[in-house]
CSV table of all heavy atoms in Angstrom, one decimal:
chain,number,residue,atom,x,y,z
V,1,ASP,N,-100.5,-199.0,-104.1
V,1,ASP,CA,-101.0,-198.1,-103.1
V,1,ASP,C,-99.9,-197.6,-102.1
V,1,ASP,O,-99.6,-198.2,-101.1
V,1,ASP,CB,-102.1,-198.9,-102.3
V,1,ASP,CG,-102.8,-198.0,-101.3
V,1,ASP,OD1,-102.7,-196.7,-101.4
V,1,ASP,OD2,-103.5,-198.5,-100.4
V,2,VAL,N,-99.2,-196.6,-102.5
V,2,VAL,CA,-98.0,-196.1,-101.8
V,2,VAL,C,-98.5,-194.9,-101.0
V,2,VAL,O,-99.2,-194.0,-101.5
V,2,VAL,CB,-96.9,-195.8,-102.7
V,2,VAL,CG1,-95.7,-195.2,-101.9
V,2,VAL,CG2,-96.5,-197.0,-103.5
V,3,LEU,N,-98.0,-194.8,-99.8
V,3,LEU,CA,-98.4,-193.6,-98.9
V,3,LEU,C,-97.8,-192.4,-99.5
V,3,LEU,O,-96.6,-192.3,-99.9
V,3,LEU,CB,-97.9,-193.8,-97.5
V,3,LEU,CG,-98.6,-194.9,-96.7
V,3,LEU,CD1,-97.9,-195.0,-95.3
V,3,LEU,CD2,-100.1,-194.5,-96.5
V,4,SER,N,-98.6,-191.3,-99.6
V,4,SER,CA,-98.1,-190.0,-100.0
V,4,SER,C,-97.5,-189.3,-98.9
V,4,SER,O,-97.7,-189.7,-97.7
V,4,SER,CB,-99.2,-189.2,-100.7
V,4,SER,OG,-100.2,-188.9,-99.7
V,5,SER,N,-96.8,-188.2,-99.2
V,5,SER,CA,-96.2,-187.4,-98.1
V,5,SER,C,-97.3,-186.8,-97.2
V,5,SER,O,-97.2,-186.7,-96.0
V,5,SER,CB,-95.4,-186.2,-98.7
V,5,SER,OG,-96.2,-185.4,-99.5
V,6,ASP,N,-98.5,-186.5,-97.8
V,6,ASP,CA,-99.6,-186.0,-97.0
V,6,ASP,C,-100.1,-187.0,-96.0
V,6,ASP,O,-100.5,-186.7,-94.9
V,6,ASP,CB,-100.7,-185.5,-97.9
V,6,ASP,CG,-100.4,-184.2,-98.7
V,6,ASP,OD1,-99.5,-183.5,-98.2
V,6,ASP,OD2,-101.0,-184.0,-99.7
V,7,ASP,N,-100.1,-188.3,-96.5
V,7,ASP,CA,-100.6,-189.4,-95.6
V,7,ASP,C,-99.6,-189.5,-94.4
V,7,ASP,O,-100.1,-189.7,-93.3
V,7,ASP,CB,-100.6,-190.7,-96.4
V,7,ASP,CG,-101.7,-190.7,-97.5
V,7,ASP,OD1,-102.7,-190.0,-97.3
V,7,ASP,OD2,-101.5,-191.4,-98.5
V,8,VAL,N,-98.3,-189.5,-94.7
V,8,VAL,CA,-97.4,-189.6,-93.6
V,8,VAL,C,-97.5,-188.4,-92.6
V,8,VAL,O,-97.4,-188.6,-91.4
V,8,VAL,CB,-95.9,-189.7,-94.2
V,8,VAL,CG1,-94.9,-189.7,-93.0
V,8,VAL,CG2,-95.8,-190.9,-95.1
V,9,LYS,N,-97.7,-187.2,-93.2
V,9,LYS,CA,-97.9,-186.0,-92.3
V,9,LYS,C,-99.1,-186.2,-91.4
V,9,LYS,O,-99.1,-185.9,-90.2
V,9,LYS,CB,-98.0,-184.8,-93.1
V,9,LYS,CG,-96.7,-184.3,-93.8
V,9,LYS,CD,-97.0,-183.1,-94.6
V,9,LYS,CE,-95.7,-182.7,-95.5
V,9,LYS,NZ,-96.0,-181.5,-96.3
V,10,MET,N,-100.2,-186.7,-92.0
V,10,MET,CA,-101.4,-187.0,-91.2
V,10,MET,C,-101.2,-188.0,-90.1
V,10,MET,O,-101.6,-187.8,-89.0
V,10,MET,CB,-102.5,-187.4,-92.2
V,10,MET,CG,-103.9,-187.5,-91.4
V,10,MET,SD,-105.2,-188.0,-92.6
V,10,MET,CE,-105.2,-186.5,-93.7
V,11,MET,N,-100.5,-189.1,-90.5
V,11,MET,CA,-100.1,-190.1,-89.5
V,11,MET,C,-99.3,-189.5,-88.4
V,11,MET,O,-99.4,-189.8,-87.2
V,11,MET,CB,-99.4,-191.2,-90.1
V,11,MET,CG,-100.3,-192.0,-91.1
V,11,MET,SD,-99.3,-193.2,-92.1
V,11,MET,CE,-98.8,-194.4,-90.8
V,12,ALA,N,-98.4,-188.6,-88.7
V,12,ALA,CA,-97.5,-187.9,-87.7
V,12,ALA,C,-98.4,-187.1,-86.8
V,12,ALA,O,-98.2,-187.0,-85.6
V,12,ALA,CB,-96.4,-187.1,-88.4
V,13,GLU,N,-99.4,-186.4,-87.4
V,13,GLU,CA,-100.3,-185.5,-86.6
V,13,GLU,C,-101.1,-186.4,-85.6
V,13,GLU,O,-101.2,-186.1,-84.4
V,13,GLU,CB,-101.2,-184.8,-87.5
V,13,GLU,CG,-100.6,-183.7,-88.3
V,13,GLU,CD,-100.3,-182.4,-87.5
V,13,GLU,OE1,-100.7,-182.4,-86.3
V,13,GLU,OE2,-99.7,-181.5,-88.0
V,14,ILE,N,-101.5,-187.5,-86.1
V,14,ILE,CA,-102.3,-188.5,-85.2
V,14,ILE,C,-101.4,-189.0,-84.1
V,14,ILE,O,-101.8,-189.1,-82.9
V,14,ILE,CB,-102.9,-189.6,-86.0
V,14,ILE,CG1,-103.9,-189.0,-87.0
V,14,ILE,CG2,-103.5,-190.7,-85.1
V,14,ILE,CD1,-104.5,-190.1,-88.0
V,15,GLY,N,-100.2,-189.4,-84.5
V,15,GLY,CA,-99.2,-189.9,-83.5
V,15,GLY,C,-98.9,-188.9,-82.4
V,15,GLY,O,-98.8,-189.2,-81.2
V,16,ARG,N,-98.7,-187.6,-82.8
V,16,ARG,CA,-98.5,-186.6,-81.8
V,16,ARG,C,-99.7,-186.4,-80.9
V,16,ARG,O,-99.5,-186.2,-79.7
V,16,ARG,CB,-98.1,-185.2,-82.5
V,16,ARG,CG,-97.7,-184.1,-81.5
V,16,ARG,CD,-97.3,-182.9,-82.1
V,16,ARG,NE,-98.3,-182.3,-83.0
V,16,ARG,CZ,-98.2,-181.0,-83.5
V,16,ARG,NH1,-97.1,-180.3,-83.2
V,16,ARG,NH2,-99.1,-180.5,-84.2
V,17,ALA,N,-100.9,-186.4,-81.5
V,17,ALA,CA,-102.1,-186.2,-80.7
V,17,ALA,C,-102.3,-187.3,-79.7
V,17,ALA,O,-102.8,-187.1,-78.6
V,17,ALA,CB,-103.3,-186.1,-81.6
V,18,HIS,N,-101.9,-188.5,-80.0
V,18,HIS,CA,-102.0,-189.7,-79.1
V,18,HIS,C,-100.8,-189.8,-78.2
V,18,HIS,O,-100.8,-190.7,-77.4
V,18,HIS,CB,-102.3,-190.9,-79.9
V,18,HIS,CG,-103.7,-191.0,-80.5
V,18,HIS,ND1,-104.1,-190.3,-81.6
V,18,HIS,CD2,-104.8,-191.7,-80.1
V,18,HIS,CE1,-105.3,-190.6,-81.9
V,18,HIS,NE2,-105.8,-191.4,-81.0
V,19,GLY,N,-99.8,-189.0,-78.4
V,19,GLY,CA,-98.6,-189.1,-77.5
V,19,GLY,C,-97.6,-190.1,-77.9
V,19,GLY,O,-96.6,-190.3,-77.1
V,20,SER,N,-97.8,-190.8,-79.0
V,20,SER,CA,-96.8,-191.8,-79.4
V,20,SER,C,-95.5,-191.2,-80.0
V,20,SER,O,-94.5,-191.9,-80.0
V,20,SER,CB,-97.4,-192.8,-80.4
V,20,SER,OG,-97.9,-192.1,-81.6
V,21,ILE,N,-95.6,-190.0,-80.5
V,21,ILE,CA,-94.4,-189.3,-80.9
V,21,ILE,C,-94.4,-187.9,-80.3
V,21,ILE,O,-95.5,-187.3,-80.1
V,21,ILE,CB,-94.2,-189.2,-82.4
V,21,ILE,CG1,-95.4,-188.4,-83.0
V,21,ILE,CG2,-94.1,-190.6,-83.1
V,21,ILE,CD1,-95.3,-188.2,-84.5
V,22,ASP,N,-93.2,-187.3,-80.0
V,22,ASP,CA,-93.2,-186.0,-79.4
V,22,ASP,C,-93.1,-184.9,-80.4
V,22,ASP,O,-93.1,-185.2,-81.6
V,22,ASP,CB,-92.0,-185.9,-78.4
V,22,ASP,CG,-90.7,-186.2,-79.0
V,22,ASP,OD1,-90.5,-185.8,-80.2
V,22,ASP,OD2,-89.8,-186.7,-78.4
V,23,ASP,N,-93.1,-183.7,-80.0
V,23,ASP,CA,-93.1,-182.5,-80.9
V,23,ASP,C,-91.9,-182.5,-81.8
V,23,ASP,O,-92.1,-182.2,-83.0
V,23,ASP,CB,-93.3,-181.2,-80.1
V,23,ASP,CG,-94.6,-181.1,-79.4
V,23,ASP,OD1,-95.6,-181.8,-79.9
V,23,ASP,OD2,-94.7,-180.3,-78.5
V,24,ASP,N,-90.7,-182.8,-81.3
V,24,ASP,CA,-89.5,-182.7,-82.1
V,24,ASP,C,-89.6,-183.8,-83.2
V,24,ASP,O,-89.2,-183.5,-84.4
V,24,ASP,CB,-88.3,-183.0,-81.2
V,24,ASP,CG,-88.0,-181.8,-80.3
V,24,ASP,OD1,-88.5,-180.7,-80.7
V,24,ASP,OD2,-87.3,-181.9,-79.3
V,25,GLU,N,-90.0,-185.0,-82.8
V,25,GLU,CA,-90.1,-186.1,-83.8
V,25,GLU,C,-91.1,-185.7,-84.9
V,25,GLU,O,-90.9,-186.0,-86.1
V,25,GLU,CB,-90.5,-187.4,-83.1
V,25,GLU,CG,-89.4,-188.0,-82.2
V,25,GLU,CD,-89.9,-189.1,-81.4
V,25,GLU,OE1,-91.1,-189.2,-81.2
V,25,GLU,OE2,-89.0,-189.9,-81.0
V,26,HIS,N,-92.2,-185.1,-84.5
V,26,HIS,CA,-93.3,-184.7,-85.4
V,26,HIS,C,-92.7,-183.7,-86.4
V,26,HIS,O,-93.0,-183.7,-87.6
V,26,HIS,CB,-94.4,-184.1,-84.6
V,26,HIS,CG,-95.5,-183.4,-85.5
V,26,HIS,ND1,-95.5,-182.0,-85.7
V,26,HIS,CD2,-96.4,-183.9,-86.3
V,26,HIS,CE1,-96.5,-181.7,-86.5
V,26,HIS,NE2,-97.1,-182.8,-86.9
V,27,GLU,N,-91.9,-182.7,-85.9
V,27,GLU,CA,-91.4,-181.7,-86.8
V,27,GLU,C,-90.4,-182.3,-87.7
V,27,GLU,O,-90.3,-181.9,-88.9
V,27,GLU,CB,-90.7,-180.6,-86.0
V,27,GLU,CG,-91.7,-179.7,-85.2
V,27,GLU,CD,-92.7,-179.0,-86.1
V,27,GLU,OE1,-92.3,-178.6,-87.2
V,27,GLU,OE2,-93.9,-178.9,-85.8
V,28,TRP,N,-89.6,-183.2,-87.3
V,28,TRP,CA,-88.6,-183.9,-88.2
V,28,TRP,C,-89.3,-184.7,-89.3
V,28,TRP,O,-88.9,-184.6,-90.4
V,28,TRP,CB,-87.7,-184.9,-87.4
V,28,TRP,CG,-86.7,-184.1,-86.5
V,28,TRP,CD1,-86.4,-182.8,-86.5
V,28,TRP,CD2,-86.0,-184.7,-85.4
V,28,TRP,NE1,-85.5,-182.5,-85.5
V,28,TRP,CE2,-85.2,-183.7,-84.8
V,28,TRP,CE3,-86.0,-186.0,-84.8
V,28,TRP,CZ2,-84.4,-183.9,-83.7
V,28,TRP,CZ3,-85.1,-186.2,-83.7
V,28,TRP,CH2,-84.4,-185.1,-83.2
V,29,ILE,N,-90.4,-185.4,-88.9
V,29,ILE,CA,-91.1,-186.1,-89.9
V,29,ILE,C,-91.7,-185.2,-91.0
V,29,ILE,O,-91.6,-185.4,-92.2
V,29,ILE,CB,-92.2,-186.9,-89.3
V,29,ILE,CG1,-91.6,-188.0,-88.4
V,29,ILE,CG2,-93.2,-187.5,-90.4
V,29,ILE,CD1,-92.7,-188.8,-87.6
V,30,ARG,N,-92.3,-184.0,-90.6
V,30,ARG,CA,-92.8,-183.1,-91.5
V,30,ARG,C,-91.7,-182.5,-92.4
V,30,ARG,O,-91.9,-182.3,-93.6
V,30,ARG,CB,-93.5,-182.0,-90.8
V,30,ARG,CG,-94.9,-182.4,-90.2
V,30,ARG,CD,-95.6,-181.1,-89.6
V,30,ARG,NE,-95.9,-180.2,-90.7
V,30,ARG,CZ,-97.0,-180.2,-91.5
V,30,ARG,NH1,-97.8,-181.2,-91.3
V,30,ARG,NH2,-97.1,-179.3,-92.4
V,31,SER,N,-90.5,-182.2,-91.8
V,31,SER,CA,-89.4,-181.6,-92.5
V,31,SER,C,-88.9,-182.6,-93.6
V,31,SER,O,-88.6,-182.2,-94.7
V,31,SER,CB,-88.3,-181.2,-91.6
V,31,SER,OG,-88.7,-180.2,-90.7
V,32,ILE,N,-88.8,-183.9,-93.2
V,32,ILE,CA,-88.3,-184.9,-94.1
V,32,ILE,C,-89.3,-185.0,-95.3
V,32,ILE,O,-88.9,-185.1,-96.5
V,32,ILE,CB,-88.1,-186.2,-93.4
V,32,ILE,CG1,-86.9,-186.1,-92.4
V,32,ILE,CG2,-87.8,-187.3,-94.4
V,32,ILE,CD1,-86.8,-187.3,-91.5
V,33,MET,N,-90.6,-185.0,-95.0
V,33,MET,CA,-91.6,-185.2,-96.0
V,33,MET,C,-91.6,-183.9,-97.0
V,33,MET,O,-91.8,-184.0,-98.2
V,33,MET,CB,-93.0,-185.3,-95.4
V,33,MET,CG,-93.2,-186.7,-94.7
V,33,MET,SD,-93.0,-188.1,-95.9
V,33,MET,CE,-91.4,-188.7,-95.4
V,34,ASP,N,-91.3,-182.8,-96.4
V,34,ASP,CA,-91.2,-181.6,-97.2
V,34,ASP,C,-90.0,-181.5,-98.1
V,34,ASP,O,-90.0,-180.7,-99.1
V,34,ASP,CB,-91.2,-180.3,-96.3
V,34,ASP,CG,-92.6,-180.1,-95.6
V,34,ASP,OD1,-93.6,-180.6,-96.2
V,34,ASP,OD2,-92.6,-179.4,-94.6
V,35,LEU,N,-89.0,-182.3,-97.9
V,35,LEU,CA,-87.8,-182.3,-98.8
V,35,LEU,C,-88.2,-182.6,-100.2
V,35,LEU,O,-87.6,-182.1,-101.2
V,35,LEU,CB,-86.8,-183.3,-98.3
V,35,LEU,CG,-86.0,-183.0,-97.1
V,35,LEU,CD1,-85.0,-184.1,-96.8
V,35,LEU,CD2,-85.3,-181.7,-97.2
Protein backbone atom coordinates (compact mmCIF):
# COMPACT_ATOMS: atom_id res chain seq x y z
CA ASP A 1 0.00 0.00 0.00
CA VAL A 2 2.26 2.77 -1.30
CA LEU A 3 1.06 6.34 -1.59
CA SER A 4 0.58 7.46 -5.17
CA SER A 5 1.50 10.91 -6.44
CA ASP A 6 -2.20 11.82 -6.46
CA ASP A 7 -2.42 10.84 -2.77
CA VAL A 8 0.53 13.07 -1.92
CA LYS A 9 -0.97 15.96 -3.92
CA MET A 10 -4.25 15.56 -2.06
CA MET A 11 -2.42 15.56 1.27
CA ALA A 12 -0.60 18.73 0.19
CA GLU A 13 -3.95 20.36 -0.66
CA ILE A 14 -5.30 19.44 2.77
CA GLY A 15 -2.15 20.73 4.44
CA ARG A 16 -2.41 24.06 2.64
CA ALA A 17 -6.11 24.35 3.51
CA HIS A 18 -5.33 23.76 7.19
CA GLY A 19 -2.34 26.13 7.17
CA SER A 20 0.28 23.49 7.99
CA ILE A 21 2.14 24.21 4.72
CA ASP A 22 2.33 27.49 2.83
CA ASP A 23 1.64 28.14 -0.85
CA ASP A 24 5.30 27.85 -1.93
CA GLU A 25 5.73 24.51 -0.16
CA HIS A 26 2.49 23.29 -1.74
CA GLU A 27 3.71 24.22 -5.23
CA TRP A 28 7.06 22.51 -4.63
CA ILE A 29 5.35 19.31 -3.53
CA ARG A 30 3.12 19.32 -6.61
CA SER A 31 6.11 20.03 -8.86
CA ILE A 32 8.15 17.19 -7.34
CA MET A 33 5.24 14.78 -7.74
CA ASP A 34 4.80 15.88 -11.35
CA LEU A 35 8.41 14.92 -12.14
